[in-house]
Structure formats: structure tokens, C-alpha cells
Amino acid sequence: MTSYGTVFQSLIYSILQQPRAESDKGIALCFTSAQSGEGVTHVVRALSNELGSQAPERVARVDLAYLQTRALPLSKTTAMVLSPKDDGTMENEGVVSETPGSDLSPNWHGSRKFRQESIDKLRSHFDYVLIDCPSLKVSGDALGIAPLVDGVFLVVEANRTQAHQVLHAERQIHGAGGAIYGHILNKRKYFIPQWIYRWVSAN
């Protein structure tokens, strides 16, 4: 088991694998942060990989930018990764190709119903839908789906993010009608006490 696997096991068993109100639909979760650079994408990838190691065909990792601008190419038998690549194009792994030239951003931004239908479509195909969202400092887009998903996770960078920033982000999410499922502490450093250094040096 990887180090991330150890970290995420309690999250997977305590939240993601609980009985659902609609047993025939998956769970959709939004991941965001109070400020940029806190490692949201890294956390979403690590969690999706851990879930995917158990049942890869049941997990969808989706970048919010994809949902906003593209028609959903769905397959009932493969995992799905919809996210931006380094060159700015969109990565679309293991699914049927999208319709060329489609741009659904007016529908997405202008219609709550359209956003809900898009998320529900993902829920109907996958057990776990992990949506990678920009930080709330950069964009309010995460707030547009917060009330439409099952829950929101705030990624918090250790030794950087301040308590008042987290509280402000929580208020924004609650104000939008979203439910906060929890906080994920990222980039935590485990410092070695000086007495261990001295002990190692002496031996």
C-alpha cells in the first residue's frame, strides 16, 4: 500500500463507501481550496488512483474545466479521466471521443439544470465522481456545483493556509448551499526531532 493509500483508507471507508440514499447512483464530490497552489489536483489524482486500484472502471476523475466546455463522452465499462494536459489540450483517457468543436460553456454557466444533469449523468455511470475545481480565490466556479454534488472537500496546505482563509472558504461553500464533507491536509512535513539526529550521529 502506498503512503497515500494509507492516508486515504479512512476517508474511503468512513465516507465514500457508506450506504447511499440512491443505491443505483454514484457519489459526486467536489475538491477545492481557499487559495491556489494547495495541491487540489495532486490530491484528486492520488485519491482516484487509490479508488481505482480497487475497481478502476467505477471511478471518474474530472476537471471542472472539462465539464464546463465539453459534451460528456461516457462509457459504462471504462474508467474516465477528463483533465487538462500540459500543452493546454484536454486529456480524455479510456472513453469515446467527444464531439469535435463542442463548447457548452454558455449552457453550463447559464443553467443550473444543465449543471445538475451533467453531474447526474456522471453519477449514473460511475460509483465515484471526483471533480477537480480551481481554488475559491481564483474562481467561484466550485460554488456553482457545491449544492449539486454530495459534498465538498477543502484541501488545506500545511504551514501555509491560515485559519481565517479556511473559515472564509467554508462560509462561501455553506452560503452557496454546499455541504463540507471534510478537510484534507496536504504537503505536511514530518520533521525529525533533534534527539534522533544526535542518537544517529552517536551510533
mmCIF file of all heavy atoms in Angstrom, residues 144-180:
data_model
loop_
_atom_site.group_PDB
_atom_site.id
_atom_site.type_symbol
_atom_site.label_atom_id
_atom_site.label_comp_id
_atom_site.label_asym_id
_atom_site.label_seq_id
_atom_site.Cartn_x
_atom_site.Cartn_y
_atom_site.Cartn_z
ATOM 1 N N GLY A 144 -20.618 27.045 -7.901
ATOM 2 C CA GLY A 144 -21.727 26.756 -8.811
ATOM 3 C C GLY A 144 -22.150 25.304 -8.799
ATOM 4 O O GLY A 144 -23.278 24.976 -9.180
ATOM 5 N N ILE A 145 -21.246 24.406 -8.361
ATOM 6 C CA ILE A 145 -21.624 22.991 -8.286
ATOM 7 C C ILE A 145 -21.701 22.488 -6.851
ATOM 8 O O ILE A 145 -22.150 21.365 -6.620
ATOM 9 C CB ILE A 145 -20.662 22.101 -9.104
ATOM 10 C CG1 ILE A 145 -19.254 22.120 -8.497
ATOM 11 C CG2 ILE A 145 -20.642 22.501 -10.561
ATOM 12 C CD1 ILE A 145 -18.351 21.047 -9.061
ATOM 13 N N ALA A 146 -21.275 23.306 -5.899
ATOM 14 C CA ALA A 146 -21.283 22.873 -4.490
ATOM 15 C C ALA A 146 -22.642 22.329 -4.037
ATOM 16 O O ALA A 146 -22.699 21.290 -3.371
ATOM 17 C CB ALA A 146 -20.831 24.014 -3.586
ATOM 18 N N PRO A 147 -23.769 23.003 -4.386
ATOM 19 C CA PRO A 147 -25.058 22.465 -3.936
ATOM 20 C C PRO A 147 -25.558 21.287 -4.775
ATOM 21 O O PRO A 147 -26.566 20.665 -4.429
ATOM 22 C CB PRO A 147 -26.003 23.667 -4.081
ATOM 23 C CG PRO A 147 -25.402 24.472 -5.175
ATOM 24 C CD PRO A 147 -23.919 24.306 -5.041
ATOM 25 N N LEU A 148 -24.848 20.955 -5.855
ATOM 26 C CA LEU A 148 -25.306 19.918 -6.777
ATOM 27 C C LEU A 148 -24.585 18.595 -6.584
ATOM 28 O O LEU A 148 -25.008 17.580 -7.131
ATOM 29 C CB LEU A 148 -25.122 20.386 -8.234
ATOM 30 C CG LEU A 148 -25.678 21.774 -8.566
ATOM 31 C CD1 LEU A 148 -25.401 22.120 -10.022
ATOM 32 C CD2 LEU A 148 -27.179 21.838 -8.279
ATOM 33 N N VAL A 149 -23.487 18.612 -5.811
ATOM 34 C CA VAL A 149 -22.751 17.384 -5.538
ATOM 35 C C VAL A 149 -23.069 16.902 -4.122
ATOM 36 O O VAL A 149 -23.724 17.603 -3.355
ATOM 37 C CB VAL A 149 -21.231 17.614 -5.695
ATOM 38 C CG1 VAL A 149 -20.887 17.980 -7.134
ATOM 39 C CG2 VAL A 149 -20.732 18.698 -4.745
ATOM 40 N N ASP A 150 -22.596 15.719 -3.801
ATOM 41 C CA ASP A 150 -22.884 15.163 -2.472
ATOM 42 C C ASP A 150 -22.128 15.888 -1.373
ATOM 43 O O ASP A 150 -22.626 16.003 -0.246
ATOM 44 C CB ASP A 150 -22.530 13.674 -2.457
ATOM 45 C CG ASP A 150 -23.427 12.886 -3.397
ATOM 46 O OD1 ASP A 150 -24.578 12.604 -3.029
ATOM 47 O OD2 ASP A 150 -22.982 12.580 -4.517
ATOM 48 N N GLY A 151 -20.933 16.356 -1.696
ATOM 49 C CA GLY A 151 -20.155 17.044 -0.685
ATOM 50 C C GLY A 151 -18.923 17.700 -1.275
ATOM 51 O O GLY A 151 -18.528 17.429 -2.402
ATOM 52 N N VAL A 152 -18.327 18.584 -0.483
ATOM 53 C CA VAL A 152 -17.142 19.343 -0.896
ATOM 54 C C VAL A 152 -16.016 19.057 0.085
ATOM 55 O O VAL A 152 -16.224 19.049 1.301
ATOM 56 C CB VAL A 152 -17.431 20.859 -0.920
ATOM 57 C CG1 VAL A 152 -16.185 21.639 -1.322
ATOM 58 C CG2 VAL A 152 -18.601 21.172 -1.854
ATOM 59 N N PHE A 153 -14.827 18.821 -0.451
ATOM 60 C CA PHE A 153 -13.625 18.692 0.363
ATOM 61 C C PHE A 153 -12.741 19.908 0.136
ATOM 62 O O PHE A 153 -12.487 20.297 -1.000
ATOM 63 C CB PHE A 153 -12.841 17.429 -0.001
ATOM 64 C CG PHE A 153 -13.396 16.180 0.625
ATOM 65 C CD1 PHE A 153 -14.250 15.351 -0.083
ATOM 66 C CD2 PHE A 153 -13.058 15.834 1.928
ATOM 67 C CE1 PHE A 153 -14.762 14.209 0.479
ATOM 68 C CE2 PHE A 153 -13.569 14.684 2.507
ATOM 69 C CZ PHE A 153 -14.431 13.871 1.788
ATOM 70 N N LEU A 154 -12.284 20.493 1.224
ATOM 71 C CA LEU A 154 -11.340 21.603 1.151
ATOM 72 C C LEU A 154 -9.930 21.061 1.359
ATOM 73 O O LEU A 154 -9.648 20.415 2.379
ATOM 74 C CB LEU A 154 -11.643 22.637 2.237
ATOM 75 C CG LEU A 154 -12.618 23.757 1.895
ATOM 76 C CD1 LEU A 154 -12.900 24.594 3.136
ATOM 77 C CD2 LEU A 154 -12.069 24.640 0.775
ATOM 78 N N VAL A 155 -9.067 21.293 0.378
ATOM 79 C CA VAL A 155 -7.669 20.909 0.512
ATOM 80 C C VAL A 155 -6.931 22.071 1.177
ATOM 81 O O VAL A 155 -7.036 23.218 0.739
ATOM 82 C CB VAL A 155 -7.047 20.587 -0.856
ATOM 83 C CG1 VAL A 155 -5.565 20.268 -0.710
ATOM 84 C CG2 VAL A 155 -7.783 19.410 -1.494
ATOM 85 N N VAL A 156 -6.211 21.764 2.236
ATOM 86 C CA VAL A 156 -5.525 22.782 3.028
ATOM 87 C C VAL A 156 -4.026 22.485 3.033
ATOM 88 O O VAL A 156 -3.621 21.378 3.390
ATOM 89 C CB VAL A 156 -6.056 22.807 4.476
ATOM 90 C CG1 VAL A 156 -5.315 23.845 5.309
ATOM 91 C CG2 VAL A 156 -7.562 23.065 4.490
ATOM 92 N N GLU A 157 -3.226 23.461 2.615
ATOM 93 C CA GLU A 157 -1.776 23.257 2.612
ATOM 94 C C GLU A 157 -1.210 23.526 4.005
ATOM 95 O O GLU A 157 -1.413 24.606 4.570
ATOM 96 C CB GLU A 157 -1.102 24.169 1.592
ATOM 97 C CG GLU A 157 0.407 23.957 1.531
ATOM 98 C CD GLU A 157 1.090 24.784 0.470
ATOM 99 O OE1 GLU A 157 0.394 25.283 -0.432
ATOM 100 O OE2 GLU A 157 2.322 24.930 0.554
ATOM 101 N N ALA A 158 -0.495 22.545 4.526
ATOM 102 C CA ALA A 158 0.101 22.678 5.862
ATOM 103 C C ALA A 158 1.134 23.799 5.893
ATOM 104 O O ALA A 158 1.855 24.024 4.926
ATOM 105 C CB ALA A 158 0.757 21.356 6.260
ATOM 106 N N ASN A 159 1.158 24.521 7.008
ATOM 107 C CA ASN A 159 2.125 25.587 7.247
ATOM 108 C C ASN A 159 2.025 26.748 6.260
ATOM 109 O O ASN A 159 2.968 27.524 6.122
ATOM 110 C CB ASN A 159 3.565 25.029 7.231
ATOM 111 C CG ASN A 159 3.769 23.934 8.238
ATOM 112 O OD1 ASN A 159 3.355 24.061 9.386
ATOM 113 N ND2 ASN A 159 4.365 22.839 7.818
ATOM 114 N N ARG A 160 0.899 26.852 5.573
ATOM 115 C CA ARG A 160 0.712 27.974 4.651
ATOM 116 C C ARG A 160 -0.669 28.589 4.794
ATOM 117 O O ARG A 160 -0.808 29.774 5.031
ATOM 118 C CB ARG A 160 0.933 27.523 3.201
ATOM 119 C CG ARG A 160 0.701 28.646 2.197
ATOM 120 C CD ARG A 160 0.718 28.134 0.782
ATOM 121 N NE ARG A 160 0.356 29.178 -0.165
ATOM 122 C CZ ARG A 160 -0.205 28.956 -1.333
ATOM 123 N NH1 ARG A 160 -0.479 27.720 -1.720
ATOM 124 N NH2 ARG A 160 -0.505 29.948 -2.144
ATOM 125 N N THR A 161 -1.696 27.776 4.635
ATOM 126 C CA THR A 161 -3.062 28.277 4.694
ATOM 127 C C THR A 161 -3.404 28.681 6.130
ATOM 128 O O THR A 161 -3.163 27.929 7.067
ATOM 129 C CB THR A 161 -4.054 27.209 4.214
ATOM 130 O OG1 THR A 161 -3.617 26.718 2.949
ATOM 131 C CG2 THR A 161 -5.436 27.801 4.066
ATOM 132 N N GLN A 162 -3.973 29.849 6.273
ATOM 133 C CA GLN A 162 -4.309 30.348 7.599
ATOM 134 C C GLN A 162 -5.756 30.010 7.958
ATOM 135 O O GLN A 162 -6.596 29.819 7.075
ATOM 136 C CB GLN A 162 -4.072 31.857 7.658
ATOM 137 C CG GLN A 162 -2.616 32.238 7.399
ATOM 138 C CD GLN A 162 -2.386 33.728 7.425
ATOM 139 O OE1 GLN A 162 -3.278 34.492 7.783
ATOM 140 N NE2 GLN A 162 -1.198 34.155 7.040
ATOM 141 N N ALA A 163 -6.029 29.965 9.240
ATOM 142 C CA ALA A 163 -7.353 29.559 9.719
ATOM 143 C C ALA A 163 -8.453 30.456 9.182
ATOM 144 O O ALA A 163 -9.521 29.973 8.798
ATOM 145 C CB ALA A 163 -7.375 29.555 11.249
ATOM 146 N N HIS A 164 -8.213 31.763 9.114
ATOM 147 C CA HIS A 164 -9.265 32.664 8.642
ATOM 148 C C HIS A 164 -9.571 32.435 7.164
ATOM 149 O O HIS A 164 -10.698 32.661 6.702
ATOM 150 C CB HIS A 164 -8.879 34.125 8.903
ATOM 151 C CG HIS A 164 -7.775 34.645 8.035
ATOM 152 N ND1 HIS A 164 -8.005 35.194 6.788
ATOM 153 C CD2 HIS A 164 -6.431 34.693 8.242
ATOM 154 C CE1 HIS A 164 -6.844 35.567 6.257
ATOM 155 N NE2 HIS A 164 -5.878 35.275 7.113
ATOM 156 N N GLN A 165 -8.576 31.961 6.386
ATOM 157 C CA GLN A 165 -8.814 31.658 4.983
ATOM 158 C C GLN A 165 -9.703 30.429 4.831
ATOM 159 O O GLN A 165 -10.590 30.384 3.976
ATOM 160 C CB GLN A 165 -7.483 31.449 4.258
ATOM 161 C CG GLN A 165 -6.625 32.701 4.178
ATOM 162 C CD GLN A 165 -5.239 32.428 3.642
ATOM 163 O OE1 GLN A 165 -4.603 31.434 3.989
ATOM 164 N NE2 GLN A 165 -4.765 33.313 2.772
ATOM 165 N N VAL A 166 -9.463 29.442 5.678
ATOM 166 C CA VAL A 166 -10.290 28.233 5.660
ATOM 167 C C VAL A 166 -11.718 28.566 6.078
ATOM 168 O O VAL A 166 -12.691 28.115 5.455
ATOM 169 C CB VAL A 166 -9.694 27.148 6.576
ATOM 170 C CG1 VAL A 166 -10.612 25.935 6.640
ATOM 171 C CG2 VAL A 166 -8.310 26.739 6.090
ATOM 172 N N LEU A 167 -11.870 29.363 7.125
ATOM 173 C CA LEU A 167 -13.199 29.750 7.599
ATOM 174 C C LEU A 167 -13.961 30.538 6.538
ATOM 175 O O LEU A 167 -15.168 30.344 6.354
ATOM 176 C CB LEU A 167 -13.082 30.572 8.884
ATOM 177 C CG LEU A 167 -12.604 29.811 10.124
ATOM 178 C CD1 LEU A 167 -12.362 30.773 11.285
ATOM 179 C CD2 LEU A 167 -13.623 28.746 10.518
ATOM 180 N N HIS A 168 -13.253 31.421 5.829
ATOM 181 C CA HIS A 168 -13.902 32.196 4.762
ATOM 182 C C HIS A 168 -14.369 31.267 3.645
ATOM 183 O O HIS A 168 -15.489 31.427 3.124
ATOM 184 C CB HIS A 168 -12.933 33.240 4.217
ATOM 185 C CG HIS A 168 -13.505 34.065 3.103
ATOM 186 N ND1 HIS A 168 -14.587 34.912 3.283
ATOM 187 C CD2 HIS A 168 -13.153 34.174 1.790
ATOM 188 C CE1 HIS A 168 -14.885 35.504 2.127
ATOM 189 N NE2 HIS A 168 -14.028 35.063 1.214
ATOM 190 N N ALA A 169 -13.536 30.299 3.278
ATOM 191 C CA ALA A 169 -13.919 29.333 2.245
ATOM 192 C C ALA A 169 -15.122 28.510 2.688
ATOM 193 O O ALA A 169 -16.040 28.245 1.894
ATOM 194 C CB ALA A 169 -12.737 28.416 1.929
ATOM 195 N N GLU A 170 -15.131 28.111 3.946
ATOM 196 C CA GLU A 170 -16.272 27.352 4.475
ATOM 197 C C GLU A 170 -17.558 28.166 4.385
ATOM 198 O O GLU A 170 -18.612 27.643 4.010
ATOM 199 C CB GLU A 170 -16.010 26.943 5.918
ATOM 200 C CG GLU A 170 -14.943 25.884 6.080
ATOM 201 C CD GLU A 170 -14.638 25.594 7.538
ATOM 202 O OE1 GLU A 170 -15.083 26.388 8.402
ATOM 203 O OE2 GLU A 170 -13.959 24.586 7.818
ATOM 204 N N ARG A 171 -17.476 29.438 4.750
ATOM 205 C CA ARG A 171 -18.670 30.298 4.685
ATOM 206 C C ARG A 171 -19.163 30.437 3.251
ATOM 207 O O ARG A 171 -20.374 30.443 3.004
ATOM 208 C CB ARG A 171 -18.356 31.668 5.284
ATOM 209 C CG ARG A 171 -18.278 31.680 6.804
ATOM 210 C CD ARG A 171 -18.317 33.095 7.367
ATOM 211 N NE ARG A 171 -17.101 33.838 7.031
ATOM 212 C CZ ARG A 171 -16.023 33.879 7.794
ATOM 213 N NH1 ARG A 171 -15.995 33.228 8.940
ATOM 214 N NH2 ARG A 171 -14.966 34.588 7.424
ATOM 215 N N GLN A 172 -18.241 30.548 2.301
ATOM 216 C CA GLN A 172 -18.626 30.648 0.891
ATOM 217 C C GLN A 172 -19.363 29.391 0.433
ATOM 218 O O GLN A 172 -20.383 29.469 -0.261
ATOM 219 C CB GLN A 172 -17.389 30.872 0.014
ATOM 220 C CG GLN A 172 -16.775 32.242 0.109
ATOM 221 C CD GLN A 172 -15.560 32.374 -0.785
ATOM 222 O OE1 GLN A 172 -14.519 31.778 -0.529
ATOM 223 N NE2 GLN A 172 -15.706 33.135 -1.855
ATOM 224 N N ILE A 173 -18.846 28.248 0.808
ATOM 225 C CA ILE A 173 -19.446 26.971 0.394
ATOM 226 C C ILE A 173 -20.821 26.801 1.038
ATOM 227 O O ILE A 173 -21.794 26.431 0.369
ATOM 228 C CB ILE A 173 -18.517 25.801 0.752
ATOM 229 C CG1 ILE A 173 -17.240 25.877 -0.099
ATOM 230 C CG2 ILE A 173 -19.225 24.455 0.541
ATOM 231 C CD1 ILE A 173 -16.132 24.976 0.378
ATOM 232 N N HIS A 174 -20.916 27.067 2.326
ATOM 233 C CA HIS A 174 -22.210 26.976 3.011
ATOM 234 C C HIS A 174 -23.203 27.978 2.425
ATOM 235 O O HIS A 174 -24.389 27.662 2.256
ATOM 236 C CB HIS A 174 -22.044 27.211 4.513
ATOM 237 C CG HIS A 174 -21.417 26.068 5.240
ATOM 238 N ND1 HIS A 174 -21.888 24.777 5.151
ATOM 239 C CD2 HIS A 174 -20.348 26.023 6.089
ATOM 240 C CE1 HIS A 174 -21.147 23.982 5.897
ATOM 241 N NE2 HIS A 174 -20.205 24.712 6.471
ATOM 242 N N GLY A 175 -22.730 29.184 2.119
ATOM 243 C CA GLY A 175 -23.602 30.204 1.542
ATOM 244 C C GLY A 175 -24.149 29.815 0.185
ATOM 245 O O GLY A 175 -25.255 30.223 -0.187
ATOM 246 N N ALA A 176 -23.376 29.023 -0.547
ATOM 247 C CA ALA A 176 -23.824 28.560 -1.867
ATOM 248 C C ALA A 176 -24.751 27.354 -1.758
ATOM 249 O O ALA A 176 -25.312 26.903 -2.768
ATOM 250 C CB ALA A 176 -22.619 28.213 -2.729
ATOM 251 N N GLY A 177 -24.901 26.834 -0.549
ATOM 252 C CA GLY A 177 -25.773 25.666 -0.358
ATOM 253 C C GLY A 177 -25.041 24.342 -0.399
ATOM 254 O O GLY A 177 -25.668 23.284 -0.489
ATOM 255 N N GLY A 178 -23.716 24.385 -0.327
ATOM 256 C CA GLY A 178 -22.934 23.155 -0.360
ATOM 257 C C GLY A 178 -22.713 22.569 1.021
ATOM 258 O O GLY A 178 -22.832 23.262 2.032
ATOM 259 N N ALA A 179 -22.379 21.292 1.054
ATOM 260 C CA ALA A 179 -22.087 20.592 2.307
ATOM 261 C C ALA A 179 -20.611 20.232 2.339
ATOM 262 O O ALA A 179 -20.111 19.592 1.411
ATOM 263 C CB ALA A 179 -22.935 19.333 2.416
ATOM 264 N N ILE A 180 -19.915 20.649 3.384
ATOM 265 C CA ILE A 180 -18.499 20.334 3.511
ATOM 266 C C ILE A 180 -18.351 18.954 4.141
ATOM 267 O O ILE A 180 -18.794 18.727 5.259
ATOM 268 C CB ILE A 180 -17.773 21.402 4.348
ATOM 269 C CG1 ILE A 180 -17.847 22.757 3.643
ATOM 270 C CG2 ILE A 180 -16.315 21.000 4.581
ATOM 271 C CD1 ILE A 180 -17.245 23.905 4.431
#
